[in-house]
Amino acid sequence: MDCLFCKIIDGEISSSKIYEDEFVLAFKDIEPQAPFHAVIVPKEHIASANEINSFNSFLVAKVFEAAAKIAESEHLERGFRIVNNCGEDGGQSVGHIHFHMMAGRQFAWPAG
Ligand code: 5GP
Ligand code: ZN
């Protein structure tokens, strides 16, 4: 399968790793939108949030468990934002579900 994030998970494409466990990988976004910008992905290929079901939804929980650990190790005490873009209108550009974890600046709300 021709999936950019599967290739990063397999090590075929290099990335700057932030966190890894049995279920998820987090690496630095190549085009950071904040002083800290990680991409957290489940290692299993899931195309988007539309593909989440009762069998794989635990992986979303694993992503958030990883985020809490990253917040601690990266000293993100001031807070952070997690974003999932889904589909064309959602602004998803890579077809492997991923969660942007951004910190180090104040974010606007509602998001534009
Ligand atoms: P999306 O736009 O699908 O929500 O997010 C995809 C993210 O992947 C973007 O923020 C983009 O900068 C990042 N990205 C795209 N290609 C690469 C790459 O080869 N390496 C890394 N580390 N990030 C990438
Ligand atoms: Zn994939």
Side-chain angles (χ1 to χ4, degrees), residues 3 6 45 96:
C3 171
C6 280
H45 180 85
H96 181 130

Side-chain angles (χ1 to χ4, degrees), residues 11-90:
E12 243 180 88
I13 293 175
S14 67
S15 70
S16 183
K17 197 197 312 183
I18 294 170
Y19 173 85
E20 182 172 19
D21 64 27
E22 186 185 347
F23 303 103
V24 307
L25 175 70
F27 51 90
K28 285 190 182 162
D29 196 293
I30 207 168
E31 231 176 278
Q33 303 300 314
F36 176 87
H37 187 166
V39 178
I40 312 177
V41 298
K43 288 183 172 176
E44 179 182 322
H45 180 85
I46 300 167
S48 78
N50 277 330
E51 306 294 319
I52 293 296
N53 55 46
S54 57
F55 298 102
N56 63 20
S57 60
F58 75 98
L59 291 168
V60 178
K62 292 292 176 191
V63 165
F64 278 78
E65 282 181 42
K69 288 177 188 168
I70 292 166
E72 194 173 2
S73 63
E74 299 288 332
H75 307 289
L76 307 180
E77 290 87 5
R78 286 178 58 87
F80 54 86
R81 178 167 290 183
I82 292 181
V83 173
N84 167 250
N85 297 327
C86 178
E88 200 177 335
D89 279 2

Side-chain angles (χ1 to χ4, degrees), residues 4-5 8 27-31 85 91-94 98 100:
L4 174 66
F5 288 169
I8 286 179
F27 51 90
K28 285 190 182 162
D29 196 293
I30 207 168
E31 231 176 278
N85 297 327
Q92 183 178 4
S93 65
V94 178
H98 52 280
H100 299 264

